[in-house]
């Protein structure tokens, strides 16, 4: 069983489109995250949810809207995609907000053309 | 949050011990030190965390001096499959974890 699963693994789309990435964890963790890894391999936190409640929003454009229907799922919807949104997006989870050991998904490579 | 500085890359040979040092001069009292490993096309994987002195698990050891301004990840007897990027992080409360640029380790045969 995959602990943190993301879909799709690859996403190629045109500028201006709207797309969603889904994430699910079966670890029973309370906290989930979205990270963005750019071409220089820097990992930047975007959002964090704890028990379905947003606790971190790191100055991400409001075109990005996370949604957590329950604590096992954290989806990312992106409106009006731009070339600069091209990156690998990672979903992660941790036991709670005090945990340092994150479990990451395998990533979604988004390419905006 | 304390900024971390690591070497950009390191080379090693199979069977050698590899030590990757990370500096975090502005570490605060409540900060913990955590290391992750990332293979190409995969998400980072948690390796080890510590607060002070030495921590050891089945994968690595983490050495933290008394002033905690640096830490060293030690990988015993590396193999080709240990080629990856290793991230040092300093976090005050897990949910504020921020990743730096990491160290690219190349293990040669």
């Amino acid at each position: 069983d995959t602990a943190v699963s993301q879909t799709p693994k690859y996403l190629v789309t045109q500028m201006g489109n709207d797309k969603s990435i889904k994430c699910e964890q079966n670890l029973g963790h309370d906290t989930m995250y979205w990270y963005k890894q750019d071409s220089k391999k820097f990992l930047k936190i975007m959002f964090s949810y704890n028990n379905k409640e947003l606790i971190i929003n790191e100055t991400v454009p409001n075109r990005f809207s996370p949604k957590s229907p329950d604590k096992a799922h954290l989806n990312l919807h992106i409106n009006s995609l731009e070339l600069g949104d091209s990156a690998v997006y990672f979903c992660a989870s941790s036991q709670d907000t005090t945990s340092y050991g994150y479990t990451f998904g395998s990533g979604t490579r988004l390419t905006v053309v | 949050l304390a900024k971390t500085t690591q070497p950009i890359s390191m080379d090693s040979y199979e069977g050698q011990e590899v030590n990757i040092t990370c500096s975090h001069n502005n570490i605060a009292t409540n900060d913990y030190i955590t290391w992750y490993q990332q293979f190409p096309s995969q998400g980072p994987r948690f390796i080890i965390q510590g607060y002070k002195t030495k921590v050891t698990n089945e994968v690595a050891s983490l050495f933290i001096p008394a002033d905690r301004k640096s830490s060293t990840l030690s990988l015993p007897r590396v193999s080709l499959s240990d080629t990856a990027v290793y991230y040092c992080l300093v976090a005050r409360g897990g949910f504020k974890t921020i990743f730096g640029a990491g160290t690219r380790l190349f293990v040669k045969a």
Side-chain angles (χ1 to χ4, degrees):
Chain A
D1 277 348
T2 303
V4 179
S5 59
Q6 298 178 229
T7 54
K9 189 170 179 62
Y10 299 97
L11 187 54
V12 181
T13 187
Q14 291 185 328
M15 286 175 56
N17 284 350
D18 303 338
K19 291 293 179 185
S20 293
I21 306 172
K22 296 185 177 182
C23 178
E24 176 182 5
Q25 54 96 1
N26 63 5
L27 299 166
H29 287 171
D30 287 343
T31 311
M32 296 186 71
Y33 313 83
W34 277 110
Y35 276 84
K36 178 181 179 181
Q37 187 167 43
D38 59 25
S39 58
K40 295 183 178 180
K41 304 299 182 184
F42 285 99
L43 268 162
K44 299 178 182 178
I45 190 167
M46 301 174 67
F47 300 103
S48 175
Y49 270 72
N50 187 60
N51 278 320
K52 304 191 299 177
E53 299 296 323
L54 178 67
I55 56 173
I56 290 180
N57 179 343
E58 287 292 316
T59 61
V60 176
N62 56 17
R63 298 183 294 106
F64 291 78
S65 53
K67 284 187 171 52
S68 182
D70 55 62
K71 73 173 192 178
H73 295 84
L74 180 61
N75 303 322
L76 184 64
H77 187 76
I78 315 169
N79 290 327
S80 303
L81 278 156
E82 301 176 357
L83 293 177
D85 297 331
S86 295
V88 180
Y89 292 84
F90 288 100
C91 177
S93 71
S94 63
Q95 186 69 49
D96 52 44
T97 58
T98 65
S99 301
Y100 298 90
Y102 290 11
T103 302
F104 279 81
S106 58
T108 296
R109 182 174 293 277
L110 171 65
T111 303
V112 183
V113 298
Chain B
L1 294 170
K3 179 182 176 182
T4 60
T5 303
Q6 307 174 231
I8 293 174
S9 65
M10 295 180 67
D11 289 347
S12 182
Y13 288 93
E14 282 191 293
Q16 289 187 335
E17 178 185 75
V18 171
N19 296 310
I20 305 174
T21 297
C22 176
S23 65
H24 26 80
N25 292 320
N26 297 321
I27 191 168
T29 303
N30 296 334
D31 288 341
Y32 275 74
I33 300 153
T34 312
W35 286 79
Y36 282 78
Q37 173 192 57
Q38 185 178 25
F39 297 114
S41 301
Q42 293 187 26
R45 181 177 76 105
F46 172 81
I47 301 176
I48 198 167
Q49 79 174 48
Y51 184 80
K52 59 182 179 180
T53 62
K54 176 184 175 182
V55 180
T56 297
N57 62 22
E58 64 278 4
V59 176
S61 294
L62 178 59
F63 299 91
I64 305 169
D67 66 5
R68 305 202 324 124
K69 293 183 182 299
S70 66
S71 59
T72 298
L73 176 72
S74 181
L75 305 171
R77 300 180 298 282
V78 294
S79 64
L80 295 176
S81 62
D82 291 316
T83 294
V85 178
Y86 292 82
Y87 294 96
C88 165
L89 298 85
V90 173
R92 189 176 313 148
F95 72 100
K96 286 192 177 292
T97 298
I98 296 175
F99 288 75
T103 297
R104 292 184 175 275
L105 172 65
F106 295 95
V107 180
K108 305 173 186 176

